[in-house]
Amino acid sequence: MLLRRLGSPFLRHASMLRRPIASVPIRSVYESKSIRLKTLERIDNMKEQASQGGGAERIAKQHKKGKLTARERLDVLLDSGSFREYDKLKMHRCTDFDMEKQQHPGDGVVTGSGRINGRPVFVFSQDFTVFGGSLSETHAQKICKIMDKALKLGVPVIGLNDSGGARIHEGIDSLAGYAEVFQRNVLASGAVPQISLIMGPCAGGAVYSPAMTDFTFMVRNTSYLFVTGPEVVKTVTREEVTQEELGGSKVHTEQSGVAHRCFDNDIEILMATRQLYDYLPLSYSSPLPKKPTTDPIDRLAPALNGVVPEDSNVPYDMRIIIEQVVDEGSVFEIMPRFGKNIVTCFARLGGRTVGIVANQPKELAGVLDIDASVKAARFVQFLDCYNIPIITFVDVPGFLPGTVQVG
């Protein structure tokens, strides 16, 4: 009755509602489900391929050299279960030289975010088993993505470098990728801490980025930093040098000062990085981390009474004084093998991070030379950027004279 009162248009609409709904063919439902299952299976296969890097044979070669894989390194560096990977399935777009036939999900670098002792960090880890860790356009895009996020959120960046340099198949696109990475190194400088770990050979364009970061660690006998390799040097200058002589850890931690510390293996360098990270603020605007300490602030240090000799010509070790003053066991030295006549280190007082710059009378009577001055200046500059208090211990006869110190 109500519909009759409302009129014929409503009657027509009601009759339409009573019509049976056209049934979807069962075959179409199963076909759609099958497509979804195949897609999910294909994605799972790609994820597994990405996890395997360059394959079992290349991973075995990596282990034979005493090196961990890119993913194994992140497992050691980061807190268990904290890693969140970005762009795991991303692949290069190069079609020259039949490169489209050589595709590896991830494109030779693992990127993402994680935590170290509960504090956030962005990381990338180059995979030498995929194209020798060489940098392509998409490889660079993955690194730039996490660096952009680190700058936006105010979180440090740690790069695990193991690369043969630019992927020459891509030509200028690869070189442009390096330019993008370098630009972000510059933008991040003084904004968020940047740490580079040299985990293998780094040649060509791969050496510039670590040199621009705040701290660079190397592994003895397996990591190298040089602009070009021994073969090219021999061709151009006829000089015969080994990789170790040209850019090994000894060269860069004792002569050039490019690297800050070196370690015996991958595990040691990764654990030391975790230790260093505990001293650093997340960004220039973040508060300093504080660690619980059982060392009382009013502790007496009777050992200090006999450290400094009465005779000013008798050397002594400034490290003993530093260790007595700061929280027990909290000293982390920076560049211990370079410019030994000055000591630079992180430590804690009352659980908070401090930076220490101290003359070392044990080496060259604590005199200042070029290497020691540059070492101290770089460290003070970092401390200033991140508002870390500076403590100085001074016992210096002056500057080292002579024509060698011109430069």
Side-chain angles (χ1 to χ4, degrees), residues 52 265 300:
Q52 292 300 315
N265 53 57
L300 296 178

Side-chain angles (χ1 to χ4, degrees), residues 150-192:
L151 272 171
K152 184 177 181 179
L153 299 176
V155 175
V157 179
I158 300 178
L160 282 63
N161 296 267
D162 194 353
S163 170
R167 194 173 301 171
I168 58 175
H169 310 79
E170 297 197 14
I172 195 64
D173 290 334
S174 176
L175 297 178
Y178 271 125
E180 294 294 333
V181 174
F182 301 160
Q183 177 65 25
R184 282 157 179 81
N185 286 135
V186 173
L187 293 174
S189 180
V192 296

